[in-house]
Short mmCIF file of all heavy atoms in Angstrom, two decimals:
data_model
loop_
_atom_site.label_atom_id
_atom_site.label_comp_id
_atom_site.label_asym_id
_atom_site.label_seq_id
_atom_site.Cartn_x
_atom_site.Cartn_y
_atom_site.Cartn_z
N LEU A 74 -2.85 -6.48 -0.12
CA LEU A 74 -3.79 -5.50 0.42
C LEU A 74 -5.12 -5.56 -0.31
O LEU A 74 -6.18 -5.52 0.30
CB LEU A 74 -3.17 -4.10 0.31
CG LEU A 74 -3.90 -2.96 1.00
CD1 LEU A 74 -4.06 -3.23 2.49
CD2 LEU A 74 -3.14 -1.67 0.80
N ARG A 75 -5.09 -5.72 -1.62
CA ARG A 75 -6.31 -5.83 -2.41
C ARG A 75 -7.09 -7.07 -2.00
O ARG A 75 -8.32 -7.07 -1.95
CB ARG A 75 -5.97 -5.87 -3.90
CG ARG A 75 -7.14 -6.09 -4.83
CD ARG A 75 -8.19 -5.00 -4.83
NE ARG A 75 -7.63 -3.71 -5.14
CZ ARG A 75 -7.94 -2.58 -4.50
NH1 ARG A 75 -8.85 -2.60 -3.55
NH2 ARG A 75 -7.39 -1.45 -4.83
N GLU A 76 -6.38 -8.14 -1.71
CA GLU A 76 -7.01 -9.38 -1.25
C GLU A 76 -7.71 -9.16 0.10
O GLU A 76 -8.82 -9.63 0.32
CB GLU A 76 -5.90 -10.43 -1.08
CG GLU A 76 -6.31 -11.85 -1.22
CD GLU A 76 -5.07 -12.73 -1.15
OE1 GLU A 76 -4.32 -12.79 -2.13
OE2 GLU A 76 -4.86 -13.33 -0.07
N ALA A 77 -7.04 -8.44 1.00
CA ALA A 77 -7.58 -8.19 2.34
C ALA A 77 -8.71 -7.16 2.33
O ALA A 77 -9.61 -7.22 3.14
CB ALA A 77 -6.47 -7.73 3.27
N ASP A 78 -8.63 -6.20 1.40
CA ASP A 78 -9.62 -5.13 1.34
C ASP A 78 -9.83 -4.69 -0.10
O ASP A 78 -9.11 -3.84 -0.61
CB ASP A 78 -9.19 -3.93 2.18
CG ASP A 78 -10.19 -2.79 2.14
OD1 ASP A 78 -11.22 -2.89 1.43
OD2 ASP A 78 -9.95 -1.79 2.82
N PRO A 79 -10.82 -5.26 -0.77
CA PRO A 79 -11.08 -4.87 -2.16
C PRO A 79 -11.87 -3.56 -2.29
O PRO A 79 -12.12 -3.11 -3.40
CB PRO A 79 -11.88 -6.05 -2.71
CG PRO A 79 -12.57 -6.61 -1.51
CD PRO A 79 -11.64 -6.38 -0.35
N ASN A 80 -12.23 -2.95 -1.17
CA ASN A 80 -13.13 -1.79 -1.20
C ASN A 80 -12.45 -0.43 -1.20
O ASN A 80 -13.11 0.57 -1.46
CB ASN A 80 -14.08 -1.87 0.01
CG ASN A 80 -14.88 -3.14 0.01
OD1 ASN A 80 -15.44 -3.52 -1.00
ND2 ASN A 80 -14.91 -3.82 1.13
N HIS A 81 -11.19 -0.37 -0.85
CA HIS A 81 -10.52 0.92 -0.73
C HIS A 81 -9.31 1.00 -1.66
O HIS A 81 -8.60 0.01 -1.82
CB HIS A 81 -10.06 1.15 0.71
CG HIS A 81 -11.20 1.24 1.67
ND1 HIS A 81 -11.63 0.17 2.41
CD2 HIS A 81 -12.00 2.28 2.00
CE1 HIS A 81 -12.64 0.54 3.16
NE2 HIS A 81 -12.90 1.82 2.93
N PRO A 82 -9.05 2.17 -2.23
CA PRO A 82 -7.86 2.33 -3.08
C PRO A 82 -6.60 2.38 -2.24
O PRO A 82 -6.64 2.53 -1.02
CB PRO A 82 -8.10 3.67 -3.78
CG PRO A 82 -8.99 4.42 -2.87
CD PRO A 82 -9.85 3.39 -2.18
N MET A 83 -5.48 2.23 -2.92
CA MET A 83 -4.17 2.33 -2.27
C MET A 83 -3.44 3.54 -2.84
O MET A 83 -3.54 3.82 -4.02
CB MET A 83 -3.36 1.08 -2.54
CG MET A 83 -3.86 -0.10 -1.73
SD MET A 83 -3.42 -1.64 -2.47
CE MET A 83 -4.85 -1.96 -3.47
N ALA A 84 -2.71 4.21 -1.97
CA ALA A 84 -1.99 5.41 -2.39
C ALA A 84 -0.52 5.29 -2.04
O ALA A 84 -0.14 4.57 -1.12
CB ALA A 84 -2.59 6.64 -1.72
N VAL A 85 0.26 6.01 -2.79
CA VAL A 85 1.69 6.16 -2.53
C VAL A 85 1.94 7.65 -2.41
O VAL A 85 1.50 8.43 -3.25
CB VAL A 85 2.52 5.55 -3.67
CG1 VAL A 85 3.99 5.85 -3.48
CG2 VAL A 85 2.29 4.05 -3.75
N VAL A 86 2.63 8.03 -1.35
CA VAL A 86 2.94 9.44 -1.13
C VAL A 86 4.36 9.70 -1.61
O VAL A 86 5.29 8.97 -1.23
CB VAL A 86 2.81 9.80 0.37
CG1 VAL A 86 3.20 11.24 0.61
CG2 VAL A 86 1.39 9.53 0.85
N THR A 87 4.52 10.72 -2.43
CA THR A 87 5.84 11.09 -2.91
C THR A 87 5.90 12.59 -3.13
O THR A 87 4.89 13.22 -3.43
CB THR A 87 6.22 10.35 -4.21
OG1 THR A 87 7.55 10.72 -4.58
CG2 THR A 87 5.27 10.64 -5.34
N ARG A 88 7.05 13.15 -2.98
CA ARG A 88 7.23 14.57 -3.25
C ARG A 88 7.95 14.80 -4.57
O ARG A 88 8.31 15.91 -4.90
CB ARG A 88 8.00 15.23 -2.11
CG ARG A 88 9.39 14.68 -1.99
CD ARG A 88 10.15 15.35 -0.90
NE ARG A 88 11.41 14.64 -0.77
CZ ARG A 88 12.22 14.73 0.24
NH1 ARG A 88 11.90 15.50 1.24
NH2 ARG A 88 13.33 14.07 0.27
N HIS A 89 8.16 13.72 -5.31
CA HIS A 89 8.89 13.79 -6.56
C HIS A 89 7.92 13.67 -7.75
O HIS A 89 7.50 12.56 -8.07
CB HIS A 89 9.95 12.69 -6.64
CG HIS A 89 10.90 12.73 -5.49
ND1 HIS A 89 11.87 13.69 -5.37
CD2 HIS A 89 11.02 11.94 -4.40
CE1 HIS A 89 12.55 13.50 -4.26
NE2 HIS A 89 12.05 12.44 -3.65
N PRO A 90 7.57 14.77 -8.38
CA PRO A 90 6.62 14.71 -9.50
C PRO A 90 7.08 13.77 -10.61
O PRO A 90 6.26 13.19 -11.32
CB PRO A 90 6.55 16.14 -10.00
CG PRO A 90 7.00 16.98 -8.86
CD PRO A 90 7.97 16.14 -8.08
N SER A 91 8.37 13.58 -10.76
CA SER A 91 8.86 12.68 -11.82
C SER A 91 8.47 11.23 -11.55
O SER A 91 8.51 10.40 -12.45
CB SER A 91 10.38 12.80 -11.96
OG SER A 91 11.01 12.41 -10.74
N ALA A 92 8.07 10.90 -10.33
CA ALA A 92 7.66 9.54 -10.00
C ALA A 92 6.22 9.25 -10.40
O ALA A 92 5.83 8.09 -10.52
CB ALA A 92 7.84 9.29 -8.50
N TYR A 93 5.42 10.29 -10.63
CA TYR A 93 4.00 10.08 -10.94
C TYR A 93 3.77 9.17 -12.15
O TYR A 93 2.92 8.29 -12.08
CB TYR A 93 3.28 11.40 -11.13
CG TYR A 93 3.16 12.24 -9.88
CD1 TYR A 93 2.92 13.59 -9.96
CD2 TYR A 93 3.28 11.69 -8.61
CE1 TYR A 93 2.81 14.37 -8.82
CE2 TYR A 93 3.17 12.46 -7.47
CZ TYR A 93 2.93 13.80 -7.58
OH TYR A 93 2.82 14.57 -6.46
N PRO A 94 4.48 9.36 -13.26
CA PRO A 94 4.23 8.46 -14.40
C PRO A 94 4.52 6.99 -14.08
O PRO A 94 3.86 6.10 -14.60
CB PRO A 94 5.17 8.97 -15.48
CG PRO A 94 5.43 10.39 -15.12
CD PRO A 94 5.40 10.43 -13.61
N LEU A 95 5.47 6.74 -13.20
CA LEU A 95 5.78 5.37 -12.81
C LEU A 95 4.69 4.80 -11.90
O LEU A 95 4.26 3.66 -12.05
CB LEU A 95 7.13 5.31 -12.10
CG LEU A 95 7.52 3.97 -11.47
CD1 LEU A 95 7.76 2.91 -12.54
CD2 LEU A 95 8.75 4.12 -10.59
N LEU A 96 4.22 5.61 -10.96
CA LEU A 96 3.29 5.14 -9.95
C LEU A 96 1.83 5.14 -10.39
O LEU A 96 1.06 4.28 -9.99
CB LEU A 96 3.41 6.00 -8.69
CG LEU A 96 4.78 5.99 -8.00
CD1 LEU A 96 4.83 7.06 -6.93
CD2 LEU A 96 5.08 4.62 -7.43
#
Side-chain angles (χ1 to χ4, degrees):
L74 189 58
R75 176 63 57 222
E76 206 175 284
D78 180 358
N80 302 312
H81 296 96
M83 286 157 268
V85 173
V86 177
T87 182
R88 63 179 174 195
H89 304 287
S91 61
Y93 293 160
L95 173 67
L96 298 170

